[in-house]
Amino acid sequence: MGEPQYVLNTSNPRKYAEFVRLGLHYPRTSIDYPEPDSDALTVIRYKSSLAGVRVIVEDTSFDIEGAAIGVNARWLSHTVDQYIGAKASLTVLIGVLEPDGLVYVYRGVTYGVIVPPTPGTSFFIDRCFKPIGATKTFA
């Protein structure tokens, strides 16, 4: 029978390359599912339900003390200067709808602080987020 087949869905080629770099060599789809304006758990459950059985989806939220960024992290680049020095957390949720009809969600959180963005082409959040105890940003 073998292992169940999974597919990784991301419309972002850089995200897919990061998954491959981490050893997740799954076939890829690139459907950009709509996201409800809601909390991160609701977003990942919704996207997982739309993606279908055994399609892995990912969503990142960025929480900054005193700000309402959350799942709208992609808009941070326009306002990051006002948050330098603020405490922050980066949450990555991975969701997958299994044949039993349940969406399984896996969560990883890193805590840190907002710093002036480092130059480069990596994800913007990676360039302005320095984890607690680190000397460098994720970039």
Side-chain angles (χ1 to χ4, degrees):
M1 183 143 111
E3 291 293 314
Q5 288 297 103
Y6 288 90
V7 174
L8 179 63
N9 183 77
T10 179
S11 59
N12 186 323
R14 288 178 23 206
K15 260 188 194 178
Y16 183 70
E18 190 168 318
F19 278 104
V20 169
R21 185 181 61 78
L22 294 170
L24 300 173
H25 299 276
Y26 294 118
R28 174 184 174 207
T29 60
S30 58
I31 300 168
D32 194 9
Y33 294 106
E35 294 182 6
D37 189 11
S38 189
D39 63 280
L41 184 57
T42 299
V43 170
I44 198 69
R45 289 173 59 209
Y46 178 76
K47 288 170 65 173
S48 296
S49 295
L50 291 178
V53 175
R54 293 199 171 124
V55 178
I56 300 167
V57 296
E58 177 273 344
D59 199 69
T60 301
S61 66
F62 201 48
D63 295 303
I64 301 172
E65 189 174 65
I69 302 293
V71 295
N72 297 309
R74 69 182 83 179
W75 312 118
L76 178 65
S77 63
H78 304 295
T79 60
V80 71
D81 289 347
Q82 64 186 334
Y83 301 115
I84 292 175
K87 294 178 184 176
S89 63
L90 182 65
T91 302
V92 176
L93 295 178
I94 303 288
V96 61
L97 175 66
E98 291 290 355
D100 62 8
L102 297 176
V103 172
Y104 290 80
V105 178
Y106 304 88
R107 178 179 178 251
V109 181
T110 303
Y111 297 95
V113 65
I114 304 299
V115 297
T118 57
T121 59
S122 63
F123 297 113
F124 184 77
I125 291 172
D126 289 352
R127 296 181 314 159
C128 69
F129 180 73
K130 185 175 80 168
I132 292 174
T135 58
K136 297 180 180 180
T137 66
F138 273 164

